[in-house]
């Protein structure tokens, strides 16, 4: 039984092909104006990698921002439910999921079966999400992927007070002008985001294990900052960015089972 | 009257305003005794603005209640004919500041601040009754009129009728005996606040009579059983599209505990009871308004909880959505406490924070859909 999960996020599109309870392949591509076509391309690329054909797919579930507009899927499920299912499959001890994506951050309480019990989601603005980090990386002249390792070099604590993307950017620029080290500023940014996420997370009952998902969990500096702040058992999947798409694929296989 | 025609008619506020020649009296909070406005010979209409709150941002800070800012924005845009007379209830700080800003920047002939106590003790009722008398004195003096007990009693009957008709509609709606969406239901409730009451009663009665005709009654379906029943609670709901989202994703809104929803009319039985045992109409009004389903502003947590729990049981509610306008202290205050009680009763809940007339629907959609997924799993 071959199924696919698609996560059409605000910044990236993810496709996962799932067969007999195993991840067979996945692809991550940036989102663009024509999300439908990009999603189709992303899926086809993945199928090519796994040596399959579109016709082999027995069910497709879509999630993420663009979940409703993709025409060739069987069902759309929110990313909240999908991240919960995906994290539970990867690590059944997961009781909390923190998904930090491009413009949303979400904290989800899950039970032992991977069912969502409660959740909170950031409001409106992108401060404290992946997009925010990208803007800051740009201001610092550092690649987003390098933020993590850079921040680990930090020796001095700097506190960034503005959490609004626009204000934080000018704060960062003036810190550079004052001669602060890049790595210290980056660490300061990570800590500021982690504080923001944690104060949102505290509205739920945080239970161990906490899984970190979404693209931002690939940033080792963010993971460190969150670990320090959460003081809990933290689990980071090997490929945190595809957890939503994985959850969608598992949901797709469940549709087949229930039929 | 057909549904479409009726809904179409009641949604054109401007048309209604133009057709009514009586002097107008605006009101903003459902603790305003509309009966007194009617008895004084005015056409009472609730200010439910469509204007963007940002118009008022030069006068009230943007961390203020967006409903209040929208009211001011609309008045500034449409003054002076729009809001010559207005009664504001001293229900929260934002309302008091609305009173200040209105007097200063919008102005008008009669801008009145009515004080409202916070509980329903005998002393509070007496105090509120005295306040209502003061309002009457001011109206009589200002407009050279006489508001007799007779006129008041008649006005009470008119408003009772509206409340009764809305209750009837809500019963038919909840039991899904008629084809009416949550949004349509809320539009009709809203209509009753912006239309002249007598005229609306006639329209609504006719509409209901038509709805109840045999051919319009829906056959019993098992469909309802599969829908998660939702209670929405909060203060003022501007953006009805949120109720639509709930229904689009397979939920069923059964009760809207907001002052633009069921809370506005649901306690109708009380006022008739009080009326029978008491002859002083002002006393009847004071008792009714303080004893009806309390708004979060009354800070009566136990009473609020008791009543919410009763609705949850009576209507087999599966999930509760809190919809609060941004920075509303009174509703924020009760939210965590009520949420905790819901958790103990194993009722999932979702908190949404709104701007007035916001169109940030994407995020709201994700949250509501995810919440309905939670409820579906729980079944
Ligand atoms: N290798 C990496 N190192 C550091 N950060 C990364 C890396 N890869 C991705 N990111 C971060 O992940 C973010 C994108 O995450 P993700 O793909 O989960 O978002 P999304 O699902 O499109 O967004 P949303 O869920 O908000 O709609 C980027 O903004 C970037 O900050
Ligand atoms: S929410 Fe309460 S205080 Fe506010 S307007 Fe409505 S009834 Fe009045
Ligand atoms: Mg995502």
């Amino acid at each position: 039984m071959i199924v696919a999960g698609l996560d059409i996020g605000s910044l990236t599109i993810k496709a996962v092909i799932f067969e007999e309870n195993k991840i067979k392949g996945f692809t991550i591509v940036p989102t663009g104006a024509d999300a439908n076509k990009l999603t189709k391309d992303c899926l086809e690329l993945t199928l090519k990698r796994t040596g399959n054909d579109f016709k082999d797919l027995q069910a497709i579930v879509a999630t993420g921002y663009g979940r409703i507009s993709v025409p060739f899927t069987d069902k759309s499920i929110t990313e909240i439910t999908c991240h919960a299912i995906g994290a539970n499959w990867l690590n059944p001890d997961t009781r909390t999921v923190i998904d930090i994506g491009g413009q949303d951050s979400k904290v989800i309480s899950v039970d032992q079966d991977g069912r969502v019990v409660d959740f909170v989601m950031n409001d409106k603005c992108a401060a404290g999400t992946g997009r925010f980090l990208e803007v800051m990386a740009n201001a610092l002249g550092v690649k987003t992927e390098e933020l993590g390792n850079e921040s680990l070099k930090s020796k001095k604590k700097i506190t960034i007070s503005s959490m609004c993307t626009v204000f934080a950017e000018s704060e960062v620029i003036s810190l550079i002008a004052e001669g602060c080290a890049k790595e210290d500023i980056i660490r300061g940014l990570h800590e500021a985001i982690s504080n923001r996420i944690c104060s949102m997370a505290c509205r739920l009952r945080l239970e161990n294990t906490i899984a970190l998902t979404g693209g931002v969990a690939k940033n080792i500096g963010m993971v460190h900052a969150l670990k320090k702040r959460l003081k809990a058992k933290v689990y980071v999947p090997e490929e945190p960015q595809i957890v939503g798409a994985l959850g969608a694929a598992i949901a797709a296989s469940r549709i087949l089972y229930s039929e | 009257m057909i549904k479409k025609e009726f809904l179409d008619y009641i949604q054109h506020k401007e048309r209604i305003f133009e057709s009514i020649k009586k002097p107008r009296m605006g009101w903003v909070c459902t603790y305003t005794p509309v009966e007194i406005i009617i008895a004084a010979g005015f056409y009472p209409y609730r200010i439910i603005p469509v204007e963007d709150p940002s118009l008022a941002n030069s006068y009230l800070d943007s961390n203020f209640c967006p409903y209040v800012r929208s009211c001011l924005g609309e008045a500034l845009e449409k003054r002076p004919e729009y809001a010559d007379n207005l009664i504001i209830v001293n229900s929260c700080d934002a309302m008091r500041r609305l009173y200040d800003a209105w007097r200063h920047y919008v102005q008008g002939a009669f801008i009145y601040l009515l004080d409202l106590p916070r509980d329903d003790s005998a002393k509070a009722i007496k105090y509120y009754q005295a306040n209502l008398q003061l309002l009457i004195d001011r109206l009589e003096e200002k407009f050279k009129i006489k508001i007799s007990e007779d006129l008041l009693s008649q006005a009470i009957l008119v408003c009772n009728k509206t409340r009764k008709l809305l209750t009837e509609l809500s019963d038919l709606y909840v039991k899904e005996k008629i084809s009416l969406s949550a949004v349509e239901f809320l539009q009709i409730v809203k209509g009753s606040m912006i239309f002249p009451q007598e005229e609306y009663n006639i329209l609504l009665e006719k509409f209901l009579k038509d709805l109840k005709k045999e051919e319009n009654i829906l056959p019993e379906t098992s469909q309802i059983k599969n829908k998660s029943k939702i209670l929405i609670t909060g203060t003022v709901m501007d953006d009805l599209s949120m109720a639509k989202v709930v229904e689009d994703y397979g939920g069923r809104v059964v009760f809207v505990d907001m002052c633009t929803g069921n809370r506005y009319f649901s306690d109708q039985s009380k006022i008739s009871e009080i009326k029978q045992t008491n002859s002083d109409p002002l006393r009847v009004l004071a008792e009714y308004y303080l004893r009806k389903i309390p708004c979060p502003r009354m800070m009566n947590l136990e009473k609020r909880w008791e009543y919410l729990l009763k609705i949850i049981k009576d209507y087999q509610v599966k999930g509760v959505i809190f919809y609060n306008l941004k920075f509303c202290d009174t509703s924020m205050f009760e939210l965590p406490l009520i949420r905790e009680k819901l958790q103990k009763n194993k009722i999932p809940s979702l908190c949404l924070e709104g701007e007035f007339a916001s169109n940030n629907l994407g995020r709201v959609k994700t949250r509501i859909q995810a919440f309905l997924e939670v409820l579906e799993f729980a079944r």
Side-chain angles (χ1 to χ4, degrees), chain A residues 4-69:
Chain A
L6 300 168
D7 178 357
I8 305 103
S10 61
L11 286 187
T12 63
I13 299 171
K14 282 81 63 180
V16 166
I17 307 280
F18 194 71
E19 187 179 13
E20 309 305 339
N21 216 24
K22 274 198 189 69
I23 301 173
K24 231 186 145 192
F26 68 88
T27 315
I28 304 170
V29 300
T31 310
D34 191 354
N36 276 353
K37 187 179 175 301
L38 289 168
T39 309
K40 198 147 196 269
D41 292 350
C42 178
L43 178 60
E44 261 157 17
L45 189 64
T46 322
L47 286 166
K48 215 164 159 187
R49 284 182 183 161
T50 59
N52 292 102
D53 201 67
F54 193 79
K55 288 195 291 293
D56 299 339
L57 294 175
Q58 285 170 285
I60 307 175
V61 166
T63 187
Y65 246 65
R67 65 186 178 278
I68 301 162
S69 39

Side-chain angles (χ1 to χ4, degrees), chain B residues 156-175:
Chain B
I156 291 177
L157 290 179
V158 171
C159 294
N160 270 356
K161 175 122 193 194
T162 315
R163 289 185 276 254
K164 190 171 151 266
L165 291 170
L166 289 172
T167 307
E168 220 175 291
L169 179 79
S170 138
D171 281 347
L172 289 169
Y173 161 75
V174 168
K175 293 187 185 127

